[in-house]
Amino acid sequence: MNTVLIKNARIVNEGKIFDGDVLIEGEFIKEIAQSISHKSSSCKVIDAEGNYLIPGAIDDQVHFREPGLTHKGNIESESRAAVAGGITSFIEQPNTVPNAVTQELLEDKYQIAAQTSYANYSFMMGGTNDNLEEVLKTNPKNVAGIKLFLGSSTGNMLVDNPETLEKIFSNTKMLIAVHCEDEATIKANLEKYKAEYGEDIPATVHHLIRSEEACYLSSSRAIELAKKTGARLHVFHLSTAKEMDLFTNKIPLEQKQITAEVCIHHLWFSDEDYATKGNFIKWNPAVKKATDREALWKALLDDRIDVIATDHAPHTLEEKSQKYSNAPSGGPLVQHAVVAMFEAHHQGKISVEKIVEKMAHNPAKIFKIENRGFIKEGFYADLAIVNPAMPWSVNKDNILYKCGWSPFEGTNFKSRITHTFVNGQLVYENSKVKENRAGKRLLFDR
């Protein structure tokens, strides 16, 4: 049996940081104590003195591009990047090719991941205007939830039929995750800027095309429908100050029927960055104004926003280098998400305990993931060791995404992931991913 003893760690769990040791046996955390002695000569000992030991992050929104878009990335390549970034579990979205909108197509993705994934995995079932019957066949025990695009995005899975939406919201008891942007507003804005710029629209107006109003109209309607039907709603990648009034911190997370997520890029960048980053920070929903970013931070810290995720969505350098109107939206983030939040910690914006809450504990609670997201005896040993004082710079040589670029290129981070464990297996150590595809299908306590 695989046995690992992590000594002298600054263990971060459930709002506390305490010094101690963690013993891993097989797939699980066997013991947590102030001091644990070597159990056997075959036990691997890691001295984590001065470093944080955190539960591996659970990224509830990624696009790993397999099947059908594997020139951009695949489950193997992007899960390798994820574990190098301290992310040990991911939930992938259905807008691959073909779209995962039948049970058979959904299961095909699970079969690929079972062979190739370095991290634990789940895949969302996609809803469309005409697949309610298939949606209702989804097994709540081994599928994370239902994904609806209420604004078109990569793959164009737009669900815009109000009658269909109400049927899905009324009939499924599973968590429904939504991408909220109002398509009519976006189209009207696009025509306005086409009239002004012709075919050479600058990236600097992306946030005005995919505007605050487009986001608010869509998210407010989704929330109204969830309240009407009693649906369990999770709103992905919020980007505006105006939307923050739609969410509450008045009740505990476990009692919330409507929960909220923010992504790394909306916490890091603002519209001021379009001038230098251009299409490389072109996301849907768009990165908005600095005042929106400040409001997102405020809502994250006061618990109106429950989760930090990535919306990792790689495109090739060539695709992103096209003119604005042709360049796709999305960018790669899983390798740098956790250290970006630790950088925010160094800047005094967020505590380490809060990072762990929003990136590990809360995703596990919201999706009811079995035995993950915490450092507890009997839980799966999905762990990351973070050295808070080991500076490094993001460059082409250390980027692991298949697309080969990052919006963080040239950024200096003070913290570094030194070790990542998935199901007790050491999958990443000192800048090297081990050829150990240890990921397992996530199960849910429903």
Side-chain angles (χ1 to χ4, degrees), residues 5 98 112 185 435:
L5 178 59
I112 296 167
T185 302
E435 293 308 311

Side-chain angles (χ1 to χ4, degrees), residues 55 102 146 344 354 357 367 389 400 422:
T102 69
I146 310 302
K354 204 72 168 174
E357 177 189 317
F367 287 88
L400 296 182
V422 175

Side-chain angles (χ1 to χ4, degrees), residues 304-343:
R304 282 173 289 163
I305 293 178
D306 306 294
V307 171
I308 301 170
T310 68
D311 193 16
H312 173 92
H315 299 285
T316 67
L317 201 55
E318 292 73 25
E319 289 167 335
K320 278 296 207 178
S321 298
Q322 299 176 93
K323 64 183 181 181
Y324 166 80
S325 54
N326 294 336
S329 292
L333 281 165
V334 289
Q335 188 182 347
H336 304 106
V338 174
V339 291
M341 285 300 98
F342 269 81
E343 197 65 23

Side-chain angles (χ1 to χ4, degrees), residues 85-134:
I87 292 171
T88 55
S89 298
F90 64 84
I91 297 173
E92 211 257 2
Q93 304 307 301
N95 55 332
T96 38
V97 180
N99 300 152
V101 295
T102 69
Q103 294 302 319
E104 290 74 22
L105 290 169
L106 180 64
E107 189 57 32
D108 286 346
K109 294 173 76 168
Y110 280 104
Q111 294 303 318
I112 296 167
Q115 299 299 316
T116 64
S117 187
Y118 289 82
N120 303 310
Y121 50 88
S122 191
F123 297 91
M124 286 275 197
M125 175 65 180
T128 72
N129 280 330
D130 55 12
N131 78 332
L132 178 61
E133 193 176 317
E134 282 294 307

Side-chain angles (χ1 to χ4, degrees), residues 73-369:
N74 57 41
I75 292 167
E76 181 176 26
S77 65
E78 307 314 284
S79 68
R80 284 182 90 250
V83 298
I87 292 171
T88 55
S89 298
F90 64 84
I91 297 173
E92 211 257 2
Q93 304 307 301
N95 55 332
T96 38
V97 180
N99 300 152
V101 295
T102 69
Q103 294 302 319
E104 290 74 22
L105 290 169
L106 180 64
E107 189 57 32
D108 286 346
K109 294 173 76 168
Y110 280 104
Q111 294 303 318
I112 296 167
Q115 299 299 316
T116 64
S117 187
Y118 289 82
N120 303 310
Y121 50 88
S122 191
F123 297 91
M124 286 275 197
M125 175 65 180
T128 72
N129 280 330
D130 55 12
N131 78 332
L132 178 61
E133 193 176 317
E134 282 294 307
V135 166
L136 294 180
K137 293 177 187 174
T138 308
N139 184 349
K141 287 294 292 180
N142 64 8
V143 177
I146 310 302
K147 172 67 180 289
L148 303 178
F149 289 90
L150 308 187
S152 63
S153 191
T154 305
N156 195 20
M157 289 180 62
L158 179 64
V159 183
D160 57 358
N161 184 320
E163 199 175 297
T164 299
L165 274 175
E166 183 151 350
K167 281 181 180 174
I168 293 173
F169 273 60
S170 299
N171 287 290
T172 181
K173 299 303 177 190
M174 291 186 70
L175 178 146
I176 300 169
V178 287
H179 172 134
C180 290
E181 290 183 285
D182 182 65
E183 199 67 15
T185 302
I186 293 165
K187 284 179 177 174
N189 290 339
L190 182 59
E191 290 308 310
K192 172 187 169 184
Y193 286 100
K194 273 185 179 175
E196 183 174 346
Y197 292 104
E199 289 303 309
D200 289 317
I201 299 172
T204 51
V205 300
H206 183 58
H207 69 295
L208 303 176
I209 294 170
R210 303 191 82 96
S211 63
E212 172 190 78
E213 194 59 26
C215 293
Y216 183 82
L217 272 174
S218 184
S219 53
S220 59
R221 283 183 199 137
I223 288 166
E224 184 181 352
L225 186 57
K227 288 178 177 176
K228 176 183 175 183
T229 59
R232 174 67 185 87
L233 183 68
H234 185 51
V235 185
F236 275 159
H237 46 40
L238 289 154
S239 64
T240 74
K242 190 173 183 180
E243 290 169 290
M244 296 306 96
D245 293 336
L246 297 170
F247 299 93
T248 185
N249 57 3
K250 304 298 184 191
I251 57 175
L253 177 62
E254 290 83 354
Q255 293 176 27
K256 287 186 181 183
Q257 277 292 99
I258 298 167
T259 49
E261 175 212 90
V262 68
C263 289
I264 298 293
H265 43 287
H266 293 122
L267 294 172
W268 189 278
F269 299 105
S270 78
D271 65 321
E272 296 160 18
D273 296 304
Y274 285 115
T276 54
K277 297 276 186 183
N279 294 334
F280 294 99
I281 60 163
K282 182 185 179 187
W283 278 279
N284 299 342
V287 167
K288 305 292 198 301
K289 296 180 293 185
T291 49
D292 291 299
R293 181 176 60 192
E294 288 164 18
L296 293 171
W297 271 109
K298 186 172 187 295
L300 178 72
L301 296 174
D302 72 17
D303 296 335
R304 282 173 289 163
I305 293 178
D306 306 294
V307 171
I308 301 170
T310 68
D311 193 16
H312 173 92
H315 299 285
T316 67
L317 201 55
E318 292 73 25
E319 289 167 335
K320 278 296 207 178
S321 298
Q322 299 176 93
K323 64 183 181 181
Y324 166 80
S325 54
N326 294 336
S329 292
L333 281 165
V334 289
Q335 188 182 347
H336 304 106
V338 174
V339 291
M341 285 300 98
F342 269 81
E343 197 65 23
H345 166 67
H346 286 298
Q347 295 165 1
K349 292 179 181 175
I350 188 169
S351 69
V352 174
E353 298 95 314
K354 204 72 168 174
I355 294 170
V356 167
E357 177 189 317
K358 303 294 184 178
M359 299 188 84
H361 298 342
N362 285 3
K365 288 180 179 179
I366 284 170
F367 287 88
K368 300 186 177 179
I369 301 171

Side-chain angles (χ1 to χ4, degrees), residues 421-441:
F421 295 86
V422 175
N423 298 310
Q425 299 292 314
L426 184 58
V427 295
Y428 178 78
E429 183 176 24
N430 298 326
S431 302
K432 299 290 182 188
V433 180
K434 296 177 177 291
E435 293 308 311
N436 190 356
R437 295 163 183 78
K440 297 180 66 159
R441 185 171 183 158

